[in-house]
């Protein structure tokens, strides 16, 4: 069944049928009623893409992500979906887990105008491409800008201040010899967390020893490996500041395996405050990153841009907070 069949049965042009489908008010009421009756009679269902093209909108938002396996990604995506669906939009989710092939499929959807705007948790190496899409007129909002400060709207959090709060907490409970398990230093958020933590100790007259900064990659395995390497190297530490909760949980497992008590021998602080952080053994003290709020705020800013409210050029920065649990204070 096509729009041509509807037009022939109703005795009107295809343009008239299209106007009825798109809710145009300038049609004669009797003609519009006749066309709707034929649509109902024939059971005609318009092609969604064709209708979207005619209207100039799809009522769909896309989200581009590195992967769905990062622990906090699920929280961001769910929050964004809730905000988008509240306003009657749908969501297309793209990941780049298959590299160039994933980006090829994404580019096909861009070319087909399959969505009205884009939310991005930036896959590595895609910022220039995303910037070009924005410059060509696609509304874009970046979530977790990682210190890149793009030329378009973004939502970030206070990574440096969160790490500074972690330093103040550890110093406040008498811990003077921290081991830091960082993320990949290419990320701006990692640089901010390292700087904020070092700043806190410097203000107390203590220099953070570079040998006590062990690089991880945010995975569980890298958290275990980092603690194992530190212990094998004979490093002495009374606390851990870990750049995400997943590595922190792994680090606590490795500490217990080595016979160390938490927090008596080693106090542990994470970063993110994911739901499982309250369920670790012992429950994890951590920097609370407003992950869900970041997804919601980014989605609402993008939707508002469809209604003519520009996304701010300056990053929207949501504050971190600090959650104290038994991994530092028994």
């Amino acid at each position: 069944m096509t729009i041509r069949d509807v037009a022939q049965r109703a005795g009107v042009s295809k343009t008239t049928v299209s106007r009825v489908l798109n809710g145009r008010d300038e049609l004669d009421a009797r003609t519009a009623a006749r066309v709707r009756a034929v649509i109902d009679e024939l059971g005609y269902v318009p092609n969604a893409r064709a209708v979207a093209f005619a209207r100039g909108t799809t009522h769909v938002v896309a989200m581009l992500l590195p992967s769905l396996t990062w622990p906090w990604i699920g929280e961001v995506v769910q929050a964004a979906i809730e905000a988008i669906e509240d306003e009657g939009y749908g969501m297309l989710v793209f990941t780049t887990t298959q590299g160039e092939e994933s980006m090829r499929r994404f580019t096909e959807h861009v070319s087909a105008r399959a969505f009205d705007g884009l939310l991005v948790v930036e896959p590595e190496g895609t910022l220039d491409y995303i910037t070009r899409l924005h410059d060509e007129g696609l509304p874009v909002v970046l979530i977790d800008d990682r210190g890149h400060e793009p030329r378009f709207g973004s939502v970030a959090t206070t990574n440096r201040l969160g790490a500074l709060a972690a330093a103040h907490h550890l110093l406040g409970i008498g811990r003077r010899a921290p081991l830091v398990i960082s993320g990949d230093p290419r990320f701006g958020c990692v640089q901010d967390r390292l700087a904020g933590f070092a700043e806190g100790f410097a203000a107390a007259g203590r220099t953070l020893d570079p040998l006590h900064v062990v690089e991880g990659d945010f995975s569980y395995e890298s958290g275990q490996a980092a603690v194992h390497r530190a212990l094998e190297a004979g490093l002495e530490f009374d606390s851990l500041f870990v750049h995400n909760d997943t590595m922190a949980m792994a680090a606590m497992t490795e500490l217990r395996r080595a016979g160390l008590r938490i927090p008596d021998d080693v106090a542990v602080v994470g970063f993110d405050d994911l739901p499982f952080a309250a369920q670790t053994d012992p429950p994890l003290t951590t920097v609370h990153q407003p992950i869900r709020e970041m997804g919601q705020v980014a989605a609402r800013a993008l939707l508002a841009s469809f209604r003519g409210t520009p996304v701010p050029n300056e990053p929207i920065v949501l504050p971190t907070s600090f959650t104290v649990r038994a991994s530092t204070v028994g």
Side-chain angles (χ1 to χ4, degrees):
M1 190 64 59
T2 68
I3 196 170
R4 182 190 298 274
D5 299 317
V6 174
Q8 288 177 345
R9 179 69 65 91
V12 298
S13 68
K14 290 192 296 182
T15 300
T16 297
V17 176
S18 178
R19 287 177 174 172
V20 172
L21 291 170
N22 290 316
R24 303 282 175 82
D25 295 331
E26 64 266 24
L27 286 172
D28 174 76
R30 287 177 297 179
T31 301
R34 184 166 76 252
V35 172
R36 292 191 191 97
V38 171
I39 289 172
D40 290 341
E41 175 190 344
L42 297 180
Y44 172 69
V45 178
N47 180 276
R49 179 169 291 180
V51 172
F53 188 82
R55 290 178 175 172
T57 180
T58 63
H59 265 68
V60 173
V61 169
M63 195 165 192
L64 180 64
L65 311 165
S67 169
L68 286 170
T69 60
W70 292 12
W72 63 272
I73 287 281
E75 295 288 309
V76 171
V77 172
Q78 184 59 43
I81 287 174
E82 290 169 5
I84 286 165
E85 290 185 344
D86 281 348
E87 297 204 27
Y89 280 72
M91 172 85 92
L92 286 172
V93 176
F94 299 89
T95 68
T96 57
T97 53
Q98 294 181 335
E100 291 183 3
E101 177 61 21
S102 296
M103 288 305 297
R104 184 189 64 78
R105 287 195 293 266
F106 174 71
T107 301
E108 287 176 354
H109 282 78
V110 172
S111 300
R113 298 195 221 172
F115 47 84
D116 298 333
L118 179 64
L119 298 171
V120 184
V121 177
E122 184 218 338
E124 186 176 353
T126 63
L127 186 60
D128 288 345
Y129 173 61
I130 301 304
T131 301
R132 187 165 72 251
L133 293 180
H134 169 264
D135 292 345
E136 292 171 354
L138 181 69
V140 179
V141 178
L142 182 67
I143 303 171
D144 184 30
D145 71 12
R146 305 191 196 176
H148 288 158
E149 298 182 3
R151 297 201 308 267
F152 50 85
S154 64
V155 178
T157 191
T158 52
N159 286 289
R160 186 185 66 81
L161 292 178
L164 182 62
H168 287 164
H169 175 71
L170 290 175
L171 288 164
I173 60 173
R175 305 302 171 118
R176 299 290 186 271
L179 178 73
V180 177
I181 303 177
S182 77
D184 189 328
R186 291 176 298 175
F187 294 152
C189 63
V190 171
Q191 296 168 20
D192 287 346
R193 292 172 195 181
L194 287 171
F197 193 75
E199 178 185 334
F201 272 80
R206 306 192 70 86
T207 301
L208 189 62
D209 185 349
L211 292 177
H212 281 68
V213 179
V214 184
E215 184 181 325
D217 62 10
F218 293 122
S219 70
Y220 186 93
E221 292 75 16
S222 73
Q224 282 187 305
V227 171
H228 182 77
R229 291 200 306 272
L231 293 173
E232 284 286 302
L235 296 180
E236 295 184 2
F237 52 92
D238 59 13
S239 53
L240 287 180
F241 173 50
V242 191
H243 279 199
N244 78 344
D245 291 347
T246 299
M247 292 193 298
M249 179 171 63
M252 289 197 293
T253 299
E254 195 66 21
L255 290 172
R256 286 194 298 269
R257 185 174 294 149
L260 296 169
R261 299 166 300 163
I262 307 166
D264 305 73
D265 299 319
V266 181
V268 181
V269 177
F271 205 111
D272 283 339
D273 201 14
L274 294 173
F276 70 74
Q279 309 301 322
T280 59
D281 181 22
L284 180 63
T285 292
T286 186
V287 179
H288 176 82
Q289 187 172 202
I291 296 169
R292 285 187 58 83
E293 292 89 340
M294 290 167 70
Q296 291 170 345
V297 168
R300 288 170 183 156
L302 185 65
L303 292 169
S305 75
F306 301 161
R307 299 188 292 269
T309 302
V311 179
N313 288 329
E314 293 296 317
I316 301 169
V317 181
L318 305 179
T320 53
S321 57
F322 199 75
T323 304
V324 177
R325 299 191 180 100
S327 68
T328 58
V329 181

